[in-house]
Amino acid sequence: MLRNNNGAVITRMATHSLVRNKGKNIVLILAVMLSAFMLFTVLTVGGTWIRMLKLEMLRTQGGEFEAVLYGFTKEQEEICQGHPEIKAVGIGAYSGWGIKTEQDDTLHSIFVWADKTQWETILKPARKWVKGSYPQKANEVMVTREVLKDCGMEQLNVGDSFTITYGDNLGEHTRELVISGMWGGYGDKKTFYVSKEFFEQSGFMLQDNATGLLHLQLKSGIITNKLFERLEKDLKVDKKQRLIPSSTAQTGMVYVLLGVLGLIAVICLSAYLLIYNILYLSVSGNIRYYGLLQTIGMTPKQIYQLVKKQVWLIGAMGIGMGLVLGIVTSFGLIPAIVKGLGIHEKHIEIVFHPFIFGLSILFTVATVKIGSRKPARLATLSSPIEALGYRKVSLKKQTRKPAKGGILWRMAKERIGRDKKKTAMVVASLGISLSVFLCMVTLIESQGPRTIVSNYMESDMIINNDTMQMREKNEWKPLIDISFLENIKEDEAIKKVYPVYNEEIVIPWQAEFIDYWMTNFYDMWMQEAYDDVKEDYQKHPEKYYSFLVGIDKDAFRYLNLTMENTVAEKDFLEGKACILYDNMLGLDFEKVNGQKISYYLKDNPKQRYQMTMQGITNDTHYANLLGTPPTLIVSSTFLKKITKNPYISKLGIEYEREYDEEAEDRIKDLMDDSSYKKDFSYSSKIEEVKTVEKAQGNMMRIGMGLALLLAFIGIMNYVNTSVSNLQTSQMELSVMESIGMTQKQLQKLLVREGVLYAVSALLFAATIGLFITYCLYQSMNYRQIPFEVPVLPVLLAGATVMLMCIAVPLIAYWRLGRKETLVERIRGFE
């Protein structure tokens, strides 16, 4: 037989087929278009999402670094400078703290020196603007509006001077300083940046663990456990030093990247299921057509080429449209995100490269090719005679067994079980869509501002008495007194208040526990050894003051739940037992538990008290006042018995209605009306939520948009399958109707089929989907937020799937059945 080149004819036939079968081909083009669009979107906007997540962490920590070494030697600095894994090394050094100005005597500011790399490389990405220059002289400072406001001098500008009293390692100083520059952005904004000369005059040393900070920027931008351990080993970090990974490194960017790759895989799988399903059903329905083509001389190979050309024409149109849509959407969306974040475009890298075009096309082409392979082969398998008499039936022998349940349920199970492969594909497509939605909504809810932001005991506001940061007790002021407390409690919008009381105490030397505590404390926090001060402590314990922290019953019960051990409530409330604040020492509880500790109030050395230590905690809520000897947490009822009117260092406030701005405004007014208004500070969930929302920008909307697009592909797959099933089973349904089955019964049958599809998809999401969601959640859970599935969105999604699975076959049956009479439908299959 002479070879006949019918390439041009096959191409024309493929083109005509596109026009003739508009309905299914439009669905196919839409499926390919959505695949290409979503792949391009995931690689561009998804990449930018990762960048935004890093940017959020960068803003939170105030710079771009992956680890910090607290206290370092010259040798360690040199190792870091030459380390193959480290890109940049910035030095920061604590140089003092603000005490008072003429306008305010309770400052929250600190003095910090930053070297050139720290200022120009590490901290620069977190700054929005800079005016002036970094300090070069000992009397110059770089400031923010916030630190000036804290000092009561917000009206000052670059070039102005002011007088401030500050403390350093050599004592207190009063000095006139000149503002050499100002900056705005993110990070600790209550900081005076000073010159190297200022730091050198402070008496602090870089090797002090509370002074010198070595900020490490890694080349990879990611710090794995192995790399962290290797850095610790290379730097020979000792007990007094601490190498801590930054919040950016702890987000697990590797897992976020794997999540994006997982999304690409899910998109390809969902698109494959849809393309395969549509083509398979289309080819199955046109077997007679392909048989007729063989009777007039068309070879199986040419039929295969015909189907493939149809697919590639559809693929080319879908890919082209998808990329165009992706470009328009992505490049219209990214500038909006950047603008919404409130930063300049040069501070964010738009994640786009021509390579993304190639990847998007490659993944989509591979999906189309794999999805069309089997349907194209199916068109060539039957001989012309077989094709002309083709009617799709199950080849497996059917054995009927007595079954429980109604006949309609049994028929529905049989119908969806005839083609298990097709049923599995539809269920998998719907289940994957539901699983992605579950995963996205869980992650988004967990990273939402209202989930991230929380105060101690879920307090909406925490008020601090800043005067209690003064070293001498006679400088403390009763900001939060009985009158202030009563005014807050009388407000109907206030649900509860949680005061924290403090009293200064002296703990005499004791051979066992105090030696154990002081040895560990000096090893961790002090430059001198405990042996150098031990004798002085034994003779003059009053020089080594500490504090009692008094808490009420509710706070005790909350704290008791957070500790590994349980403290007897009765003993605690009666003042027989106390809880030790560990101060990050990592003490062995077995050496603490049951130990008795004696102390006396600094104002009353004659009266001695003794308690048993039954618990140990590192909860920083109680770390506002710390001495060298241990800090003890006791019952506020007991504390009020041994001292009159103890000072309240902080007050937690819980509103009846969470995020009640009106209640918060009244509390702020109460502080402003106080004669000590400058000595208050506070933290507010409402204000923190606004800050987080600003930092996150549109990140959550992007994630949800991707989830909804994937869900749309799954829904399209079910709709197409449902409609095709009805088209191919019209004969069966018509025969049932002809032997007495009513339309109402047929509708009930279709409803049951839909319910079975929906339940199968929901089970898929509730098992495999939930497991994957949990694993991904824990891998990214650097904030240690408890895993919790958002009930309302998930229930709404489940209800939507159920309704859709029921409604689609009913609508399709109604549309198909109303066109022809029963007799015409039966005759149409002859």
Side-chain angles (χ1 to χ4, degrees), residues 1-4 297 299 302:
M1 183 184 290
L2 296 175
R3 185 172 181 178
N4 190 9
T299 66
Q302 289 172 331

Side-chain angles (χ1 to χ4, degrees), residues 430-648:
L430 275 175
I432 287 170
S433 300
L434 272 173
S435 299
V436 171
F437 178 81
L438 171 66
C439 187
M440 280 291 186
V441 77
T442 302
L443 291 174
I444 287 169
E445 286 288 323
S446 72
Q447 302 303 312
R450 292 177 184 253
T451 306
I452 293 172
V453 175
S454 65
N455 282 327
Y456 189 74
M457 293 183 69
E458 297 303 318
S459 299
D460 292 275
M461 190 178 197
I462 294 179
I463 300 174
N464 301 296
N465 181 348
D466 293 337
T467 66
M468 295 183 69
Q469 299 300 321
M470 303 290 189
R471 289 188 175 184
E472 300 298 328
K473 185 178 176 181
N474 57 17
E475 295 182 281
W476 295 0
K477 298 175 184 177
L479 273 63
I480 309 173
D481 55 14
I482 296 175
S483 174
F484 188 90
L485 271 177
E486 289 301 320
N487 285 331
I488 292 179
K489 289 179 180 178
E490 288 172 1
D491 192 325
E492 294 181 355
I494 305 303
K495 183 177 181 180
K496 264 192 174 181
V497 294
Y498 305 103
V500 176
Y501 298 88
N502 290 90
E503 187 58 60
E504 195 171 358
I505 60 171
V506 175
I507 301 178
W509 182 82
Q510 296 166 244
E512 294 184 11
F513 171 68
I514 291 299
D515 262 357
Y516 175 61
W517 169 275
M518 296 293 277
T519 300
N520 280 275
F521 182 87
Y522 272 75
D523 284 348
M524 174 65 78
W525 299 112
M526 309 298 283
Q527 296 304 311
E528 56 188 334
Y530 171 54
D531 290 338
D532 297 336
V533 300
K534 182 176 180 179
E535 185 178 349
D536 185 58
Y537 180 40
Q538 290 174 330
K539 293 179 180 179
H540 306 287
E542 69 278 1
K543 292 166 60 177
Y544 301 82
Y545 60 88
S546 190
F547 299 93
L548 289 181
V549 179
I551 60 176
D552 62 17
K553 186 190 294 185
D554 290 333
F556 163 74
R557 288 175 175 173
Y558 179 86
L559 179 60
N560 213 9
L561 291 172
T562 66
M563 297 187 294
E564 294 182 4
N565 55 290
T566 302
V567 178
E569 183 173 318
K570 184 179 178 183
D571 290 347
F572 183 84
L573 296 178
E574 291 177 355
K576 296 177 182 178
C578 65
I579 299 169
L580 175 70
Y581 180 69
D582 185 64
N583 204 6
M584 308 301 292
L585 299 183
L587 300 179
D588 183 356
F589 180 65
E590 294 302 321
K591 294 184 179 181
V592 174
N593 189 25
Q595 287 268 10
K596 293 188 179 295
I597 187 166
S598 299
Y599 63 89
Y600 59 84
L601 301 177
K602 192 172 184 181
D603 297 337
N604 185 14
K606 293 181 180 180
Q607 180 66 49
R608 300 295 175 103
Y609 303 93
Q610 189 178 66
M611 287 183 166
T612 302
M613 291 179 287
Q614 292 187 12
I616 188 168
T617 183
N618 260 314
D619 196 319
T620 56
H621 184 70
Y622 305 108
N624 49 314
L625 293 177
L626 299 174
T628 306
T631 294
L632 306 177
I633 302 172
V634 301
S635 164
S636 58
T637 304
F638 168 77
L639 183 57
K640 290 175 185 178
K641 287 180 180 178
I642 66 174
T643 183
K644 291 183 179 180
N645 300 323
Y647 285 86
I648 298 176

Side-chain angles (χ1 to χ4, degrees), residues 770-819:
L770 187 61
F771 174 75
I772 294 172
T773 299
Y774 179 79
C775 293
L776 183 60
Y777 181 93
Q778 293 299 347
S779 71
M780 299 172 63
N781 190 20
Y782 63 97
R783 290 188 174 99
Q784 298 302 308
I785 299 169
F787 177 77
E788 185 177 345
V789 176
V791 177
L792 185 58
V794 172
L795 287 178
L796 287 173
T800 301
V801 169
M802 182 65 73
L803 289 173
M804 182 203 67
C805 287
I806 293 172
V808 168
L810 289 176
I811 295 170
Y813 175 74
W814 177 74
R815 288 181 62 86
L816 291 171
R818 70 174 181 171
K819 294 179 180 179

